């Protein structure tokens, strides 16, 4: 099945749940809502593999586990902008790390639970990427079979496939604006360049609308969010 068709499934069939009563307050709530949004067979973020429930169809994208086949076979929820980056810019992290922030810092809680920043991904790559920023790497694809995602462990950088680079950039710019996250000049230049080079596509606008109906707002860097089009009048 062509990648464009798979990405269309992501938003047209999987993201069909009616708007919920309120935006998630915690990461745990966000994950529960995420499973509802992506309840039907859909496509994970890193490689474009199809998945059903929390099980990944690795053959659908030619994925070959690098080291951990058990983790590769399951879906995990990935923060595009890492929770580590969000937390390290807040005082709560100095007091007790992620757990402390999740319990005691309201801004961190909202950022950690923001569905615009959450995507389903292959567990092995989620673990390999860790807190690495996205960027350019010289390592050729092949770590994960036919999956074009590359993680450079020495440089501590992850290079995503072309199809999602624009979405990643717009998510970083959105999170920086909404939660006052500082981005380095180098990272901001990169994400602004990706934002221009990989413009918004229809599937991304549809995802923005569906997620926006749950959160109550869209990502302005994607645009096109219409609160009036949300089920049950969510805005």
């Amino acid at each position: 099945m062509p990648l464009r068709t798979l990405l269309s499934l992501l938003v047209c069939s999987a993201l069909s749940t009616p708007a919920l009563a309120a935006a998630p307050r915690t990461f745990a709530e966000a994950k529960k809502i995420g499973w509802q949004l992506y309840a039907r067979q859909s496509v994970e973020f890193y490689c474009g593999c199809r998945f059903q429930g929390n099980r990944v169809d690795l053959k659908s994208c030619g994925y070959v586990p690098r080291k951990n086949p058990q983790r590769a076979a399951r879906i995990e929820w990935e923060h595009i902008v890492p929770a580590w980056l969000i937390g390290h810019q807040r005082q709560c992290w100095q007091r007790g790390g992620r757990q402390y922030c999740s319990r005691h810092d309201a801004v961190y809680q909202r950022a950690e639970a923001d569905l615009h920043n959450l995507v389903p991904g292959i567990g092995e790559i989620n673990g390999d990427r860790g807190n690495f920023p996205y960027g350019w790497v010289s390592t050729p694809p092949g770590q994960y079979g036919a999956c074009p995602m590359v993680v450079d462990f020495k440089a501590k950088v992850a290079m995503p496939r072309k199809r999602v680079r624009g979405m990643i950039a717009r998510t970083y710019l959105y999170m920086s604006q909404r939660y006052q996250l500082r981005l380095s000049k180098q990272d901001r230049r990169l994400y602004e360049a990706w934002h221009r080079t990989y413009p918004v596509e229809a599937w991304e606008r549809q995802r923005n609308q569906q997620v926006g109906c749950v959160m109550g707002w869209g990502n302005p860097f994607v645009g096109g969010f219409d609160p009036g089009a949300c089920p049950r009048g969510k805005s």
Side-chain angles (χ1 to χ4, degrees):
M1 185 180 294
L3 177 59
R4 185 177 296 275
T5 302
L6 291 176
L7 287 168
S8 296
L9 285 174
L10 169 70
V11 291
C12 295
S13 63
L15 289 178
S16 58
T17 303
L20 304 181
R25 296 165 296 178
T26 66
F27 182 40
E29 288 184 7
K31 288 189 289 185
K32 289 180 180 179
I33 295 172
W35 286 120
Q36 295 176 49
L37 289 174
Y38 295 84
R40 301 178 184 177
Q41 187 178 51
S42 194
V43 179
E44 62 80 39
F45 184 70
Y46 293 118
C47 307
C49 280
R50 287 174 288 181
F51 70 89
Q52 181 72 44
N54 71 341
R55 307 310 296 173
V56 185
D57 179 3
L58 299 179
K59 293 182 179 179
S60 67
C61 67
Y63 187 95
V64 177
R66 182 186 68 84
K67 187 176 180 180
N68 192 333
Q70 289 186 333
R71 194 169 182 183
R74 72 172 184 248
I75 288 293
E76 296 180 3
W77 290 96
E78 166 77 316
H79 288 94
I80 294 176
V81 178
W84 182 93
L85 178 63
I86 299 169
H88 265 71
Q89 296 188 21
R90 305 197 61 77
Q91 189 65 35
C92 61
W93 201 276
Q94 310 305 319
R95 296 183 178 180
R98 183 171 179 174
Q99 279 193 337
Y100 190 91
C101 287
S102 296
R103 293 174 181 173
H104 301 289
D105 188 306
V107 174
Y108 177 86
Q109 290 169 352
R110 291 194 297 271
E112 186 184 39
D114 194 321
L115 287 164
H116 287 291
N117 189 42
L118 285 175
V119 289
I122 291 174
E124 181 179 44
I125 299 184
N126 186 27
D128 284 354
R129 186 237 169 165
N131 301 322
F132 295 167
Y134 289 108
W136 300 109
V137 302
S138 58
T139 306
Q143 286 173 305
Y144 308 102
C147 174
M149 175 82 170
V150 179
V151 178
D152 188 327
F153 295 99
K154 185 176 181 180
K156 297 184 178 181
V157 176
M159 185 172 71
R161 58 194 178 110
K162 291 181 180 179
R163 178 64 69 181
V164 297
R165 288 174 190 168
M167 175 184 165
I168 286 170
R170 286 178 279 278
T171 302
Y172 264 87
L173 295 172
Y174 157 80
M175 292 292 287
S176 174
Q177 181 185 84
R178 187 165 190 90
Y179 301 104
Q180 290 77 56
L181 297 180
R182 298 184 300 277
L183 299 179
S184 69
K185 290 183 179 179
Q186 179 180 353
D187 284 346
R188 185 170 292 278
R189 283 197 297 267
L190 172 68
Y191 297 133
E192 288 176 348
W194 280 5
H195 178 33
R196 295 190 300 269
T197 304
Y198 305 100
V200 178
E201 296 187 41
W203 67 266
E204 190 181 349
R205 290 192 183 92
Q206 291 169 333
R207 177 185 180 276
N208 187 51
Q209 177 67 30
Q210 296 287 350
V211 173
C213 284
V214 177
M215 295 298 300
W217 61 85
N219 178 342
F221 294 92
V222 176
F225 174 59
D226 179 8
C230 295
R232 299 204 296 268
K234 172 74 175 172
S235 61

